[in-house]
Amino acid sequence: MKNPCETVMTPPSIAAQVHQDVARALQEDLGSGDLTAALVPAARRAKARILAREAAVICGAPWAEAALRALDPAVQLTWHVAEGQRCAADQVVLEIEGEARALLSAERTALNFLQLLSAVATKTATYVEAVKGTRAAIVDTRKTIPGLRLAQKYAVGVGGGVNHRIGLFDAVLIKENHIAAAGGVAAVLRATEAVAAQAAFIEIEVETLAQLREALDAGAKMVLLDNMPLPTLREAVQLNAGRAILEISGGVTLDGLRALAETGVDRISIGGLTKDVKATDFSMRIQELA
């Protein structure tokens, strides 16, 4: 019977992004060719093991697989920890058998994706666990590594978080500068009628209870409460009375997260999920076959 962890399945939209990300990363690393791997005989095969040096939520398997298969389409991969599962420190997460040169050349690219995306998924899972039992969802932002936004947002999902808008093209988030430029809260909300059909959602950021009241009176259905202290947030939830989806943003830390969630807001967006991540430590060890 086939090991269910042997092959990682991904949605078509992510599969296309994986291919693009990996092709770009391999070109960046290999350029005209791997001069060091060329020292190994072309016919030599090898086995390798990827170990997680610390406990983590495994994420990035599709990218790691794609990097290895790009250089050796016949490579054999056996996952011992599936995408989204937790591993222990020093646990073998993947066993590989294939062309020695290919394994050596793909090593860093495969590990780079695993270390970044596992870090994002692990951090997200920690934040999700901290708000467990409340109504608050943990949401990402656009504060991502350039060129890797979809990969990082995928990792947030693996960690149990929720994706906010992908970019400026798919939803409306009206911030203080938009409000100032448009002539006020009511005026900018009226202007959204022109783009409403193209937007997945329309959200407006407010900094005071007066602005929240104005936004609600103007028909706002989604409001971002920016950098409000806890007592004000509680008042905001009471004032809202379920009329709009309420999201918190700004200065969110893990230590204060539970208290924010217990105010009764619907969403807490955290740029640090994708911006301030410490890479998970992985290593690959190779054993010659023939």
Side-chain angles (χ1 to χ4, degrees):
M1 187 175 183
K2 191 172 182 179
N3 184 341
C5 299
E6 194 170 346
T7 302
V8 175
M9 302 300 293
T10 58
S13 59
I14 291 297
Q17 189 63 40
V18 168
H19 176 76
Q20 294 176 26
D21 291 343
V22 168
R24 185 174 65 249
L26 287 173
Q27 176 57 38
E28 177 181 66
D29 205 24
L30 297 179
S32 60
D34 185 343
L35 297 179
T36 314
L39 305 177
V40 176
R44 185 148 294 168
R45 293 183 60 78
K47 283 185 176 179
R49 301 190 308 168
I50 291 181
L51 295 88
R53 295 300 188 185
E54 56 189 308
V57 174
I58 293 299
C59 185
W63 283 262
E65 282 198 8
L68 291 158
R69 294 193 191 283
L71 301 186
D72 180 3
V75 68
Q76 298 174 37
L77 305 171
T78 302
W79 289 93
H80 295 288
V81 184
E83 188 87 334
Q85 290 185 343
R86 288 189 175 271
C87 68
D90 296 320
Q91 183 174 356
V92 175
V93 298
L94 174 62
E95 288 188 298
I96 311 164
E97 182 176 338
E99 299 172 4
R101 283 187 180 182
L103 270 55
L104 290 165
S105 294
E107 174 184 1
R108 178 43 51 198
T109 296
L111 293 181
N112 281 349
F113 281 114
L114 281 175
Q115 69 185 23
L116 171 64
L117 300 185
S118 293
V120 172
T122 302
K123 187 169 187 178
T124 301
T126 301
Y127 278 71
V128 169
E129 181 63 26
V131 302
K132 190 174 181 180
T134 72
R135 65 183 296 142
I138 298 299
V139 182
D140 59 24
T141 72
R142 289 166 46 240
K143 296 176 181 178
T144 54
I145 295 174
L148 291 175
R149 178 168 294 172
L150 289 183
Q152 286 192 280
K153 282 181 172 285
Y154 165 88
V156 167
V158 169
V162 175
N163 294 151
H164 205 277
R165 57 181 178 164
I166 300 300
L168 298 174
F169 58 89
D170 63 342
V172 173
L173 176 52
I174 304 164
K175 299 178 77 73
E176 58 183 6
N177 286 336
H178 301 102
I179 294 170
V185 169
V188 75
L189 282 172
R190 284 195 300 271
T192 61
E193 294 178 8
V195 296
Q198 302 167 251
F201 60 80
I202 295 172
E203 182 174 17
I204 185 165
E205 178 185 271
V206 300
E207 297 177 320
T208 66
L209 292 177
Q211 284 186 329
L212 172 60
R213 188 175 291 107
E214 185 180 1
L216 293 172
D217 289 344
K221 300 301 181 186
M222 193 170 181
V223 181
L224 180 65
L225 308 174
D226 186 41
N227 282 298
M228 288 185 178
L230 278 172
T232 306
L233 288 172
R234 295 189 188 99
E235 288 186 63
V237 171
Q238 291 181 348
L239 174 63
N240 180 57
R243 285 179 284 176
I245 295 170
L246 293 184
E247 179 178 331
I248 291 175
S249 179
V252 177
T253 65
L254 185 59
D255 288 342
L257 184 62
R258 182 74 189 187
L260 291 174
E262 289 176 344
T263 62
V265 296
D266 302 288
R267 295 153 60 98
I268 303 175
S269 55
I270 305 167
L273 296 180
T274 51
K275 180 174 67 76
D276 303 321
V277 291
K278 178 183 177 294
T280 303
D281 190 5
F282 290 94
S283 66
M284 188 166 91
R285 292 292 179 263
I286 288 184
Q287 172 187 357
E288 179 185 332
L289 280 182

